[in-house]
Amino acid sequence: MKKIITLLLWITVLSGLLCGCGAQGPSLTEEEKNTIVIWHDKEEAVSGALLEELKALVPDVTVQMEYKSNLTEALKMVGNDPKAAPDMYFFAHDKIGVYAEMGILAPITGLIDRQTLDAAYVPMTLDAAVYKGEVYQLPVYFETLLFMYNRRYMADEDVPDTTEKLYAYMEEKTRGGHYGFVEQHSTAYYSAGWIHGFGGCILDENGQAGLSLPETIAALEYHRKFVELMPGESEYATVNTLFQEGKAHATIGGPWLVSAARASGMDLGIAAMPVIDETQIPISPYMGVQGVQVLKYAAENKTEAVRKVLQALMQPSVGVALAKVSGCAPAVEACYEEEEVISDDVVMAMRATAENTIPMPNRPEMDIMWTVAADLLVNINMSGLDVTESCNAAQQNAEELIKKMQ
């Protein structure tokens, strides 16, 4: 097993021993069996809406939502201690592999059968929840990047539907402190869409780095000409400020930008991702799925209460309520029959864009790849180093770091 995961497992075991409690923990009272603690790191609007829905749908279960600012690290420390750990946690799917390897998660299919899940969910959200053949997350909503534009400069009928049209627009409009298009070009999360559009990858489904694949190299070589027409600084604050202040006509960003853009008075447009001319595949960004994961102790000792909460979270009213407060797309298919959802252009744009997204890898190796890929992008886009040489060097570095995990 991977050394890092093994170390984390020993930490959690030691934590349990120091607390004087074994893996089974004390026997529970009926009140304790019907109390479910859910850790989360979401804003109050999201957690509050979720709690209100659960109170209405499962009144016989006491649900406690507890905010944790450093949720992932806290779980690594106390995940095997039933006195300190939560029963569930609400988080993105990309850390599933870490906790599954630690042995603290229970497959959702032990509580809700797979046939029921398949019938209820947008398929790609369940795909994101699978690690080594097991479904470890009950999806609630998903997020993906969107192509956004300012209608003051770009009319709906003029939105580029291919990357070469986008490049031509950038060449024409990038001057005098204005940019035709900007994005966080040297951040792996954003550049991944271009890589996927060429058939490349940062990490494949088997945990193998894909930075030296011919498709990845071709994508980064092609992308660089777009980068040359963007600001040298590409961090979140710079890109978003340029767009919100009307100095950038278009961008690729997440739903979290929508409220700020509209608050600035912008007439915001949202469109499908441009198709890459060389491959006829759209820019295909990562997708993140937010949902609940169940800890093994709770699944075994609070089975009925956990099952009731999961069944409640599958109700369309939950997805609708959270879409209204978060601007994110519900994972339950039935939500897209509700007027409150289908009338929301942001949610529906994400639903459409998601058809060409790739779920963020949920394997532990991805923790390494975020850093390696970011360094690679800086070398190519900001330092001007050779693409092929940089990709090959980054691939070697990634393979060495992954090997140390084994």
Side-chain angles (χ1 to χ4, degrees):
M1 226 47 238
K2 300 175 177 66
K3 293 180 180 178
I4 291 178
I5 301 300
T6 302
L7 177 59
L8 292 173
L9 179 57
W10 276 110
I11 290 173
T12 55
V13 171
L14 180 59
S15 176
L17 292 173
L18 291 175
C19 291
C21 50
Q24 296 302 313
S27 59
L28 301 178
T29 65
E30 286 303 310
E31 181 180 0
E32 289 170 332
K33 288 180 180 179
N34 283 288
T35 299
I36 298 297
V37 176
I38 304 175
W39 282 2
H40 70 93
D41 66 345
K42 303 297 178 280
E43 61 269 29
E44 186 175 348
V46 170
S47 62
L50 184 63
L51 184 58
E52 286 303 309
E53 285 294 318
L54 290 174
K55 283 181 177 179
L57 293 167
V58 281
D60 56 332
V61 177
T62 301
V63 179
Q64 299 174 359
M65 300 288 295
E66 295 186 4
Y67 179 82
K68 291 286 180 181
S69 60
N70 200 7
L71 187 153
T72 57
E73 293 304 311
L75 276 174
K76 291 174 184 177
M77 294 300 296
V78 304
N80 274 320
D81 179 359
K83 285 190 174 181
D87 300 303
M88 304 178 182
Y89 65 95
F90 190 95
F91 198 71
H93 76 277
D94 57 314
K95 295 296 184 183
I96 287 173
V98 171
Y99 304 121
E101 293 289 357
M102 287 174 60
I104 66 174
L105 294 186
I108 296 297
T109 46
L111 298 152
I112 308 289
D113 68 84
R114 182 61 192 262
Q115 187 175 0
T116 300
L117 294 173
D118 287 338
Y121 284 95
V122 175
M124 66 198 77
T125 64
L126 279 183
D127 293 342
V130 175
Y131 179 72
K132 293 187 176 180
E134 297 281 5
V135 180
Y136 283 106
Q137 182 195 60
L138 188 84
V140 175
Y141 64 84
F142 62 89
E143 304 164 317
T144 189
L145 297 174
L146 300 167
F147 187 89
M148 303 179 185
Y149 58 99
N150 188 336
R151 289 192 174 100
R152 177 181 177 183
Y153 303 108
M154 185 182 287
D156 293 349
E157 60 270 19
D158 296 329
V159 175
D161 58 1
T162 71
T163 53
E164 285 303 306
K165 290 180 182 178
L166 175 62
Y167 184 71
Y169 183 90
M170 294 172 70
E171 284 191 305
E172 178 184 355
K173 302 295 184 180
T174 301
R175 60 170 61 91
H178 274 247
Y179 298 88
F181 171 76
V182 297
E183 64 175 342
Q184 291 174 244
H185 55 70
S186 294
T187 301
Y189 181 72
Y190 288 81
S191 293
W194 296 82
I195 293 171
H196 298 151
F198 272 79
C201 69
I202 294 175
L203 186 77
D204 69 17
E205 64 275 10
N206 298 314
Q208 301 296 314
L211 300 180
S212 64
L213 292 172
E215 296 85 355
T216 301
I217 293 172
L220 296 178
E221 190 71 69
Y222 178 72
H223 185 223
R224 187 151 68 170
K225 75 176 187 179
F226 295 83
V227 174
E228 290 170 353
L229 293 175
M230 297 186 214
E233 294 296 327
S234 68
E235 77 278 3
Y236 181 87
T238 297
V239 169
N240 296 335
T241 298
L242 286 170
F243 185 59
Q244 290 173 24
E245 292 182 352
K247 295 178 182 178
H249 299 187
T251 190
I252 289 176
W256 47 87
L257 293 185
V258 172
S259 59
R262 288 174 173 168
S264 71
M266 182 188 303
D267 186 2
L268 179 68
I270 300 174
M273 289 288 181
V275 172
I276 297 171
D277 295 76
E278 280 77 356
T279 64
Q280 295 304 301
I281 299 173
I283 295 172
S284 305
Y286 276 136
M287 176 183 66
V289 181
Q290 299 283 344
V292 292
Q293 288 83 191
V294 179
L295 272 71
K296 188 176 292 185
Y297 178 84
E300 294 172 351
N301 294 275
K302 300 184 178 184
T303 308
E304 287 310 308
V306 168
R307 183 179 287 113
K308 288 178 181 179
V309 171
L310 294 178
Q311 290 172 336
L313 291 172
M314 295 176 66
Q315 299 306 306
S317 64
V318 176
V320 172
L322 292 179
K324 289 168 64 177
V325 300
S326 71
C328 297
V332 172
E333 284 278 18
C335 293
Y336 296 93
E337 299 172 4
E338 302 293 331
E339 179 61 28
E340 291 172 296
V341 172
I342 60 179
S343 63
D344 189 314
D345 58 343
V346 176
V347 170
M348 295 309 292
M350 272 193 292
R351 179 69 179 87
T353 300
E355 295 297 332
N356 296 301
T357 58
I358 306 295
M360 281 190 294
N362 60 23
R363 299 185 62 97
E365 296 92 340
M366 195 60 192
D367 284 353
I368 287 172
M369 296 309 300
W370 287 123
T371 301
V372 174
D375 291 342
L376 168 64
L377 293 167
V378 169
N379 288 339
I380 293 172
N381 295 332
M382 302 180 73
S383 298
L385 300 184
D386 181 81
V387 174
T388 300
E389 290 179 2
S390 298
C391 285
N392 288 335
Q395 177 74 15
Q396 182 177 350
N397 184 29
E399 289 176 353
E400 290 173 356
L401 292 172
I402 289 173
K403 187 175 181 180
K404 291 179 181 178
M405 296 177 66
Q406 298 172 341

